[in-house]
Amino acid sequence: MKQYQRSSVLVIGGAEDKVHGREILQTFWRCAGGSDAIIGIIPSASREPTIIGDRYISIFRDMGVKDLKVLDVRDRIEGEDKSYQEYVEQCTAVFMTGGDQLRLCGLLADTPLMERIRQRVKLGEITLGGTSAGAAVMGHHMIAGGSSGESPNRALVDMAMGLGIIPEVIVDQHFHNRNRMARLLSALSNHPERIGVGIDEDTCALFTPDDHLEVIGKGTVTVVDAQAMSYTNQGKVDAESPLALHNLRVHILCHGDRYNRKTHQPTAAVNDQ
């Protein structure tokens, strides 16, 4: 079985398998230390944090962990809670659940709790996972909402500041399941220096400390590289008009495929058979 490092960041497209093989959540658990894992769960994106927090407590307890705690931040002042901060110092991993990414950022951005989590991730001391809304917040720029089912245009996407865990990416989730390619392209039209990462449901983009992204799960991860974009009409048309985007590079990655974030090159999965 493949081993991943403690310093991995698991960005999950939502609706990950919580019942059967639980491949993605099992991978998170292994990165966190398996039976020695100490996991903090942040359900702040959810309108029902107790229910969703308890659900992940049950899942990880079934797998076998050393300790678990829900960091139930419902007000920004709780992001300064000393007991939560002390727990994060002991953690081997933190998991952010789904819900509303604007709510998650509104409660956690720039709090002592989130700043310490980000610092420990950067130092390679803990594993971080986020699903759905918990995935959307990973970049410096965040897709806060928008529509689907039409041509790329600036009105299609609402942008906000994310948590900046992986600053160079713009993440969209439930990707092909909710027809969000145009939304991601609309976001990139104004930020071509970023890497667009669209993650399908029950699929994970696992960011490794060696600057790679590796795909785990049943669907695909779509990587849109706009750094060589030669033309866009983004600044010349009104918000509802279709966008022109020339010379984009698009990669569709499946389970085991990797993408080098420095060289912008994909590599195919290695067959372990």
Side-chain angles (χ1 to χ4, degrees), residues 152 182 185-186 188-190 226 229-234 243-248:
L185 293 176
S186 303
L188 284 172
S189 71
N190 201 34
M229 185 169 69
S230 57
Y231 172 77
T232 178
N233 63 350
Q234 192 267 153
L243 289 170
L245 302 157
H246 296 188
N247 205 40
L248 302 179

Side-chain angles (χ1 to χ4, degrees), residues 85 88-89 111-123 125-126:
Q85 291 180 61
V88 162
E89 294 300 327
T111 62
L113 180 67
M114 194 65 233
E115 287 304 303
R116 184 58 181 145
I117 291 169
R118 178 161 52 188
Q119 187 177 41
R120 293 203 70 203
V121 171
K122 192 172 182 180
L123 291 170
E125 296 174 353
I126 63 172

Side-chain angles (χ1 to χ4, degrees), residues 209-262:
D210 65 353
D211 292 317
H212 281 79
L213 172 168
E214 182 165 338
V215 181
I216 301 169
K218 290 190 169 66
T220 62
V221 172
T222 300
V223 176
V224 183
D225 177 3
Q227 300 200 11
M229 185 169 69
S230 57
Y231 172 77
T232 178
N233 63 350
Q234 192 267 153
K236 302 173 185 175
V237 296
D238 62 38
E240 287 80 23
S241 295
L243 289 170
L245 302 157
H246 296 188
N247 205 40
L248 302 179
R249 297 186 74 201
V250 178
H251 310 285
I252 311 294
L253 310 178
C254 294
H255 184 91
D257 290 349
R258 303 184 90 211
Y259 179 79
N260 187 313
R261 292 146 55 201
K262 295 297 184 190

Side-chain angles (χ1 to χ4, degrees), residues 121-191:
V121 171
K122 192 172 182 180
L123 291 170
E125 296 174 353
I126 63 172
T127 298
L128 180 66
T131 185
S132 191
V137 300
M138 291 291 185
H140 176 76
H141 296 291
M142 174 179 80
I143 294 176
S147 306
S148 61
E150 54 187 276
S151 303
N153 65 79
R154 283 188 288 123
L156 194 67
V157 63
D158 302 317
M159 300 297 293
M161 298 297 287
L163 295 178
I165 306 294
I166 311 167
E168 71 270 26
V169 302
I170 297 177
V171 175
D172 212 345
Q173 10 74 41
H174 303 278
F175 193 63
H176 282 117
N177 314 79
R178 299 187 186 176
N179 192 19
R180 286 179 166 170
M181 184 63 160
R183 187 167 92 161
L184 182 59
L185 293 176
S186 303
L188 284 172
S189 71
N190 201 34
H191 303 286

